[in-house]
Amino acid sequence: MRVFRSLDEVPPDFGPSALTIGNFDGVHAGHRGILRRVREVAVERGLKASALTFNPHPSKIVAPARTPRLMSSPEQRCALMREEGIEQVFIMPFDRQVAHLTPEQFVEQVLVRKLDVRAMVLGHDFRFGYKHSGNVRVLEELGRKYGFTTEEVKAVTVRGVLVSSTALRQLVESGKIAQAARLLQRPYALEGEVVPGRGVGSRQTVPTLNLAPETEVLPATGVYVTRTRDLENKRVWPSVTNVGYRPTFDDNREISIETFLLESLVGDAPHRIRVEFLWRVRNERQLPDAQALKQQILRDAALAQAYFRRTQKWTCRPASPEPVDARRNVP
């Protein structure tokens, strides 16, 4: 996939393109339907399957108080778009100058002159241009003038729920991970660097990997069955993850994301991981001491193993109450 981050980077051979435009936060089922249609149109007409997204989110410039928390970074969005056959992405820097472009200025200066668009595929709620004055109908009229077609893709519903980034944020932040997965067509996941913890787990309870997430939407506090992926070395483990404030130790006012791997770690601890949330086990709660917390974690691990056996998503070996490899500890 080719990725461009400024108009100056966009090469002369970007087009002819079949293009969609949007924020695509989360790249949910509705987004995926649009992206697949872009790919189909591109193949049918001999065009390049392309997408335009923005960074930062436009509302951060035009309405900061209403800026949504984001579920995916631009890099994560690109990776998910590639899965649907998108060949190239233009991550357009959004600033006040871009915000003040009229619909026709945006079409002429960006879509036609720089991206050589021949076919547009858009969601039902698409808006663009100064003060959101443009929509699909406006784009259709401009397409007749500038020589491209415009197609609108209908909204997607899953079990009666309209699929949207707003609905997804609400589900994730309320801990409804299974429902969120249906709207996403995959588990909700957090990615980021493994960072040092305070060493309490390795000394008193169980060793964990501590994640610094790169996105802003976190599952509700609690314990989850998860799957953890090493993004650098392609290793994968069944796991249990706690999202919360460590009330047993009462020493951390910042939320933490701590993952206990259910299979022994061979080799060095990962540096970058993706934690995929599969099922919510319980609320976070305060326990009397570290030993009680350790026993609770092992009970949570047993529930996770039962989950993986039941769903046949993993074959788990029994979790060990002690670290199998000291390199697994994050100090």
Side-chain angles (χ1 to χ4, degrees):
M1 170 184 276
R2 302 195 300 173
V3 178
F4 309 101
R5 298 175 184 274
S6 72
L7 283 171
D8 290 339
E9 284 187 12
V10 175
D13 68 346
F14 187 95
S17 66
L19 182 76
T20 186
I21 304 174
N23 294 305
F24 301 109
D25 189 29
V27 192
H28 54 58
H31 296 147
R32 287 175 178 268
I34 295 169
L35 297 168
R36 289 167 189 158
R37 182 56 187 154
V38 170
R39 177 62 179 173
E40 291 171 356
V41 172
V43 171
E44 291 167 3
R45 297 177 53 179
L47 306 175
K48 297 175 183 178
S50 311
L52 187 160
T53 188
F54 301 99
N55 189 43
H57 192 287
S59 63
K60 193 166 187 178
I61 302 300
V62 301
R66 298 200 302 271
T67 302
R69 291 178 295 279
L70 296 182
M71 295 178 285
S72 55
S73 67
E75 292 73 23
Q76 291 165 349
R77 277 177 262 162
C78 289
L80 292 165
M81 289 177 185
R82 184 174 62 243
E83 292 178 4
E84 301 301 338
I86 298 300
E87 302 171 60
Q88 51 189 14
V89 179
F90 174 32
I91 304 173
M92 187 171 188
F94 195 90
D95 55 23
R96 293 200 175 277
Q97 183 177 354
V98 173
H100 281 81
L101 292 175
T102 67
E104 184 161 3
Q105 287 173 331
F106 182 80
V107 166
E108 193 276 329
Q109 295 177 22
V110 179
L111 302 188
V112 175
R113 189 185 303 172
K114 296 297 292 186
L115 306 185
D116 190 15
V117 66
R118 306 296 176 86
M120 294 293 305
V121 179
L122 304 159
H124 70 286
D125 57 352
F126 175 71
R127 296 290 185 276
F128 73 111
Y130 183 56
K131 292 187 176 180
H132 283 182
S133 55
N135 56 23
V136 175
R137 303 286 85 80
V138 170
L139 196 62
E140 286 178 340
E141 294 175 6
L142 291 169
R144 285 189 285 271
K145 177 178 179 178
Y146 288 98
F148 60 84
T149 61
T150 302
E151 178 179 336
E152 180 180 354
V153 177
K154 294 182 179 179
V156 172
T157 60
V158 174
R159 297 189 181 183
V161 177
L162 180 66
V163 179
S164 69
S165 296
T166 299
L168 265 169
R169 292 184 192 100
Q170 293 171 346
L171 289 172
V172 171
E173 293 180 335
S174 61
K176 298 178 180 178
I177 293 301
Q179 294 94 318
R182 286 196 288 268
L183 271 59
L184 284 167
Q185 298 181 335
R186 68 179 191 282
Y188 186 72
L190 298 176
E191 293 184 10
E193 300 289 332
V194 175
V195 296
R198 299 193 61 180
V200 174
S202 59
R203 294 193 306 268
Q204 300 182 44
T205 57
V206 297
T208 60
L209 300 175
N210 301 280
L211 172 67
E214 296 173 346
T215 48
E216 301 163 325
V217 177
L218 305 182
T221 58
V223 176
Y224 297 84
V225 176
T226 55
R227 181 168 47 226
T228 299
R229 299 182 183 272
D230 181 342
L231 294 177
E232 296 176 336
N233 296 312
K234 311 303 181 185
R235 297 175 294 178
V236 188
W237 304 273
S239 52
V240 174
T241 298
N242 182 80
V243 179
Y245 295 91
R246 299 161 50 89
T248 299
F249 300 104
D250 194 28
D251 63 354
N252 191 353
R253 295 183 180 180
E254 295 183 359
I255 198 164
S256 62
I257 301 164
E258 300 175 296
T259 295
F260 172 47
L261 304 182
L262 301 183
E263 293 184 351
S264 59
L265 176 60
V266 177
D268 295 331
H271 298 293
R272 281 184 52 81
I273 60 174
R274 176 188 300 131
V275 178
E276 301 172 355
F277 291 79
L278 306 177
W279 179 57
R280 194 168 194 267
V281 177
R282 62 175 174 85
N283 294 330
E284 184 181 42
R285 60 175 179 266
Q286 185 172 2
L287 294 163
D289 54 36
Q291 185 60 32
L293 176 59
K294 179 177 180 178
Q295 294 306 313
Q296 181 61 60
I297 292 171
L298 295 179
R299 287 193 291 270
D300 296 336
L303 288 173
Q305 291 163 344
Y307 170 88
F308 285 117
R309 287 194 298 270
R310 184 174 66 252
T311 60
Q312 296 183 338
K313 292 183 178 179
W314 210 281
T315 301
C316 291
R317 294 188 292 273
S320 169
E322 302 298 337
V324 175
D325 188 328
R327 288 173 292 183
R328 176 177 178 173
N329 298 315
V330 178

